[in-house]
Amino acid sequence: MKNIFFILLLTGCLMISAQGHHDTITKWKDKFATLGGVPKISSNGNWIGIHKTNKIDGNCSFVISTKGTTKTIHKIPHSKIVFLKEEGVLAQTGPNVEFLNLITGKTYKYEDNLKAYILEKLNRYALLTSDHHLRIFDTSGKLLWDMTEVDGVVITDSKSKLFIKKENAGRSQIIEITGDKEKVIYSTQNSIRKMEFTASLKQLVITETTTDLDNDKLIVIDPENSGKKLLELNIPKQAEVELNEVQEGKAYLISARVKFTEEKDTILEIWYGNDPYVNEHYKMFINKKFWIWHTKNSKLQEIVVPNDNEVNSLNNDRYFLTYPPRKDHNFVTSEPELNAAKIYDLKSNTLTDIGNFKLVKRLSKEWPLLLNHEVFCSADGKWFLASKDGVKWILYNSNGKKEILIDKTGLEQPVFSKNGDYVYFESSDDLWSFNIKQKKLTSLSVGKGKMTRIINYVSKRDNYTMISFLPTERMIVEIYDKEKNVISYKLLDSGKWKLVIPPMKNRITMNGLMYNPDMTSFYTMEENYNMPPALYSYDTRGQKHMIFDGNIQDNRAKKIRQEIYGYSALGKNLNGILYYPINFDPKDKYPMIVLVYDMQRHLSNHYLSPNRVMPEGSQIRTLLERGYFVYLPDTTVSEKGPGLSALECLNNALDAVLNNPNIDHTKIGLCGQSYGGYKTNFIATHSNRFAAYISGAGISNIISDFYSYNYNFSKPNYFIYNTVYQMHTTISEDKYRYIKNSPILNVEKVNAPILLWAGKNDTTVPWNQTMEFYIGLRRYQKDVVALFFKNGNHSFLNSSPEELALSSKVLDWWDYFLLNKKDITWINNQIKKDAQ
């Protein structure tokens, strides 16, 4: 075993002993930069903005031209950027704002700002300063307008106008500013509580507080027509108002809801057994009114439904979904299911019963999820989809009449075509198309046996309903091979499929696929385990060209070696990712650390930056530099339950990887956080294959956890056992399986030292779950150390005091038990006292 190894820094070489000079390791980590955040592309696709994280030199953004052979690159010392067409970039960090003119390359800097705005049509930008000035500039930095005493309420259509609220001579005014003039477009003696645009930016919506004891006012004006009043409506006092567009502004469903408020008893809280809200009373309303407003003829009609019922848009100006909110909600699902639903017909003033609907499963790269909506609507308002059993979809006419059951399982997110003639279904086995007129379902053969996701659809949500459609006839589809972790993209254009991004093993970062409006140019942010993120372009033949890499130097990453091991468990084909020590010598044996969570194959192309802290405490890159193998095996869940399933998966994963002769079988550690912490706890009570464990923020007692309240999600924890833990039953229905999968009931069988950690502010997994496991281990005189972080949450931010302290302790723990570095005092306080 090598006791000393070399870590190549960006500025040279530094020798670090395996004993762990943690301050030196922190400084080493700080030298690594990466490209991250959400890339931005300008409206015509001529420029792309990318954020660069760099602890030494400070965070910044780069703006890169996409046209021409010689790329223009601008550096901006800010992380938040907005494009002003193709001519400028407005960037902000805190109170500091900078405008970059992309044509001249000149920059203009401003301090002490509250907010920045763009006016796209005018080629101007505006700044609201901390001294309450609103200043407007052109792209050459010339000051065009300066208004004083602006109270901070400013909204914009981002096109050509700003609107501010001011008090003048006892009246509330809304003033329109275009950059060279101002005009009062609305004035009232009432107090303006809120002003906002409709989604289409066509109307300005004003909520006024009146002196009337029962009513406030809703005013809608036309900002393009000198503030012409389009609608005036009495609404309940203190109501919150929503205007949901029907078919892009043909009509609006107006909802006015008064939130439930309760006086807090300083002595006690009362929790009722029949309360469908259970501490979510901020979602409860005591007074609700609904109207449909037809904009063409200014006709307003009240929607009268049973008392306390909700009304949601079906994107239709005649038919609406109505239901009693949260009826029979028992918190088994992550969101309340839709029960006792009806269709309200505005014309006939009748209700049609359509019954109960269930959430539909959707497979992710890790585990099955549940869609958070039950009803998916077409763009033309003629159709909606819902499911009675959570497995198969039913197509309904908007009047509630059942059209057809689509008799296939595994169809996931539905997306209607632009003209409403087709429904496309994402799935884990190809993309599917349902012809509504012919009532025919067809496999499109773009991703057989692979996960498909539609990229360019539009969605608009109104509680239980989701308008989901393609804005054009073109469609971009992501095709993901889950077993090989390979991704590609195809474009449907004029009825023909074209491969625009060929299959690749690189990871495209979140929101890392970009394209111009015509979908003729595509750009990606790609990375891999041994390659920092970089920006690429793809030509019409699918050939890629690197545009920008941020000048990030990580030559050491090129030495990282990875192998994928295949194995079977629970009747499924699974994979494990093995990373080799950086300075691997085939003549030596090395310890191995196993990181457990769930399905992890998709992580094999994540860039191994030393600053990547997910999952907490794992520090893969640092461990590789310190002479460890690191192994990430897939685990999944069968009818056995999550613990016993993880045990079988892990045993088979170890059997596969331990064929590698360079792994020291006697020096293997297991660790995990959150769901991985639970699995670590369970495996520690059922295995003798590990020399040490680290478990963070993990459940130790699934029975008490099942019956606990989750303050992070504001609901009982039942739903976790239907989703993540996949038990799908209650304890009363299956006590034996819950008992067999609860780590605490076998805590006395742990036979290797274990480090536990938790944040005392964790509202996802209460820290007393860790304390319970610690107390159990103490009772049976096991070697355990528990770290409780006073200000820690469920996860620790990178470089926070908690993350730095945890990282230090994790490295100490592994070095002590797997590298035999026994001069670590805080661990000896446990181990050597036992020996005495």
Side-chain angles (χ1 to χ4, degrees), residues 26 36 158 173 321 329 355 392 429 454 559 683:
T26 299
S158 298
Q173 296 178 335
L321 176 72
H329 181 35
K392 295 179 181 179
D429 180 17
I454 299 172
K559 295 189 67 175
I683 292 164

PDB file of all heavy atoms in Angstrom, residues 26 36 158 173 321 329 355 392 429 454 559 683:
ATOM      1  N   THR A  26      -8.629  21.155   1.727  1.00  0.00           N
ATOM      2  CA  THR A  26      -9.601  22.204   1.423  1.00  0.00           C
ATOM      3  C   THR A  26      -9.016  23.205   0.438  1.00  0.00           C
ATOM      4  O   THR A  26      -9.695  23.621  -0.513  1.00  0.00           O
ATOM      5  CB  THR A  26     -10.031  22.915   2.718  1.00  0.00           C
ATOM      6  OG1 THR A  26     -10.637  21.961   3.599  1.00  0.00           O
ATOM      7  CG2 THR A  26     -11.035  24.021   2.426  1.00  0.00           C
ATOM      8  N   GLY A  36     -21.330  25.581 -14.499  1.00  0.00           N
ATOM      9  CA  GLY A  36     -22.556  25.052 -13.908  1.00  0.00           C
ATOM     10  C   GLY A  36     -23.712  26.015 -14.048  1.00  0.00           C
ATOM     11  O   GLY A  36     -23.726  26.889 -14.913  1.00  0.00           O
ATOM     12  N   SER A 158     -41.408  43.185 -20.090  1.00  0.00           N
ATOM     13  CA  SER A 158     -40.112  42.790 -20.662  1.00  0.00           C
ATOM     14  C   SER A 158     -40.021  43.117 -22.142  1.00  0.00           C
ATOM     15  O   SER A 158     -39.085  42.686 -22.807  1.00  0.00           O
ATOM     16  CB  SER A 158     -39.836  41.291 -20.444  1.00  0.00           C
ATOM     17  OG  SER A 158     -39.771  41.010 -19.075  1.00  0.00           O
ATOM     18  N   GLN A 173     -51.866  55.553  -7.945  1.00  0.00           N
ATOM     19  CA  GLN A 173     -51.761  55.672  -9.392  1.00  0.00           C
ATOM     20  C   GLN A 173     -50.861  54.581  -9.961  1.00  0.00           C
ATOM     21  O   GLN A 173     -49.908  54.151  -9.318  1.00  0.00           O
ATOM     22  CB  GLN A 173     -51.177  57.041  -9.781  1.00  0.00           C
ATOM     23  CG  GLN A 173     -52.044  58.217  -9.391  1.00  0.00           C
ATOM     24  CD  GLN A 173     -51.397  59.537  -9.767  1.00  0.00           C
ATOM     25  OE1 GLN A 173     -50.171  59.632  -9.880  1.00  0.00           O
ATOM     26  NE2 GLN A 173     -52.220  60.553  -9.971  1.00  0.00           N
ATOM     27  N   LEU A 321     -63.650  21.693 -14.463  1.00  0.00           N
ATOM     28  CA  LEU A 321     -63.520  20.640 -13.470  1.00  0.00           C
ATOM     29  C   LEU A 321     -63.837  21.216 -12.095  1.00  0.00           C
ATOM     30  O   LEU A 321     -63.294  22.252 -11.706  1.00  0.00           O
ATOM     31  CB  LEU A 321     -62.094  20.082 -13.474  1.00  0.00           C
ATOM     32  CG  LEU A 321     -61.782  19.022 -12.413  1.00  0.00           C
ATOM     33  CD1 LEU A 321     -62.484  17.710 -12.763  1.00  0.00           C
ATOM     34  CD2 LEU A 321     -60.281  18.805 -12.298  1.00  0.00           C
ATOM     35  N   HIS A 329     -58.520  12.452   1.510  1.00  0.00           N
ATOM     36  CA  HIS A 329     -57.048  12.439   1.446  1.00  0.00           C
ATOM     37  C   HIS A 329     -56.505  11.758   2.697  1.00  0.00           C
ATOM     38  O   HIS A 329     -56.750  12.196   3.813  1.00  0.00           O
ATOM     39  CB  HIS A 329     -56.515  13.867   1.351  1.00  0.00           C
ATOM     40  CG  HIS A 329     -55.023  13.955   1.252  1.00  0.00           C
ATOM     41  ND1 HIS A 329     -54.263  13.024   0.579  1.00  0.00           N
ATOM     42  CD2 HIS A 329     -54.156  14.870   1.743  1.00  0.00           C
ATOM     43  CE1 HIS A 329     -52.996  13.363   0.654  1.00  0.00           C
ATOM     44  NE2 HIS A 329     -52.895  14.477   1.362  1.00  0.00           N
ATOM     45  N   GLY A 355     -66.360  10.964 -11.141  1.00  0.00           N
ATOM     46  CA  GLY A 355     -65.795  10.046 -10.160  1.00  0.00           C
ATOM     47  C   GLY A 355     -64.409  10.389  -9.651  1.00  0.00           C
ATOM     48  O   GLY A 355     -64.031  11.561  -9.579  1.00  0.00           O
ATOM     49  N   LYS A 392     -53.714   2.935 -16.395  1.00  0.00           N
ATOM     50  CA  LYS A 392     -54.093   3.189 -17.781  1.00  0.00           C
ATOM     51  C   LYS A 392     -54.831   4.524 -17.887  1.00  0.00           C
ATOM     52  O   LYS A 392     -55.552   4.924 -16.966  1.00  0.00           O
ATOM     53  CB  LYS A 392     -54.975   2.052 -18.306  1.00  0.00           C
ATOM     54  CG  LYS A 392     -54.264   0.707 -18.381  1.00  0.00           C
ATOM     55  CD  LYS A 392     -55.193  -0.382 -18.882  1.00  0.00           C
ATOM     56  CE  LYS A 392     -54.478  -1.739 -18.933  1.00  0.00           C
ATOM     57  NZ  LYS A 392     -55.388  -2.817 -19.395  1.00  0.00           N
ATOM     58  N   ASP A 429     -40.350   2.647 -22.530  1.00  0.00           N
ATOM     59  CA  ASP A 429     -40.166   1.772 -23.682  1.00  0.00           C
ATOM     60  C   ASP A 429     -40.734   2.459 -24.913  1.00  0.00           C
ATOM     61  O   ASP A 429     -41.867   2.205 -25.318  1.00  0.00           O
ATOM     62  CB  ASP A 429     -40.844   0.421 -23.453  1.00  0.00           C
ATOM     63  CG  ASP A 429     -40.671  -0.543 -24.633  1.00  0.00           C
ATOM     64  OD1 ASP A 429     -39.777  -0.300 -25.462  1.00  0.00           O
ATOM     65  OD2 ASP A 429     -41.437  -1.508 -24.719  1.00  0.00           O
ATOM     66  N   ILE A 454     -40.179  14.079 -23.900  1.00  0.00           N
ATOM     67  CA  ILE A 454     -40.405  15.170 -24.846  1.00  0.00           C
ATOM     68  C   ILE A 454     -39.846  16.442 -24.218  1.00  0.00           C
ATOM     69  O   ILE A 454     -40.177  16.789 -23.078  1.00  0.00           O
ATOM     70  CB  ILE A 454     -41.896  15.314 -25.168  1.00  0.00           C
ATOM     71  CG1 ILE A 454     -42.414  14.026 -25.822  1.00  0.00           C
ATOM     72  CG2 ILE A 454     -42.147  16.514 -26.078  1.00  0.00           C
ATOM     73  CD1 ILE A 454     -43.912  13.979 -26.000  1.00  0.00           C
ATOM     74  N   LYS A 559      -6.617  10.735 -15.496  1.00  0.00           N
ATOM     75  CA  LYS A 559      -6.031   9.502 -14.965  1.00  0.00           C
ATOM     76  C   LYS A 559      -7.064   8.613 -14.283  1.00  0.00           C
ATOM     77  O   LYS A 559      -6.764   7.483 -13.906  1.00  0.00           O
ATOM     78  CB  LYS A 559      -4.915   9.844 -13.969  1.00  0.00           C
ATOM     79  CG  LYS A 559      -3.714  10.544 -14.582  1.00  0.00           C
ATOM     80  CD  LYS A 559      -2.583  10.658 -13.585  1.00  0.00           C
ATOM     81  CE  LYS A 559      -2.018   9.290 -13.237  1.00  0.00           C
ATOM     82  NZ  LYS A 559      -0.838   9.363 -12.356  1.00  0.00           N
ATOM     83  N   ILE A 683     -27.960  -2.896   6.279  1.00  0.00           N
ATOM     84  CA  ILE A 683     -26.917  -3.836   5.879  1.00  0.00           C
ATOM     85  C   ILE A 683     -25.937  -4.070   7.025  1.00  0.00           C
ATOM     86  O   ILE A 683     -25.458  -5.198   7.226  1.00  0.00           O
ATOM     87  CB  ILE A 683     -26.208  -3.327   4.611  1.00  0.00           C
ATOM     88  CG1 ILE A 683     -27.194  -3.399   3.430  1.00  0.00           C
ATOM     89  CG2 ILE A 683     -24.946  -4.125   4.306  1.00  0.00           C
ATOM     90  CD1 ILE A 683     -26.770  -2.601   2.223  1.00  0.00           C
TER      91      ILE A 683
END
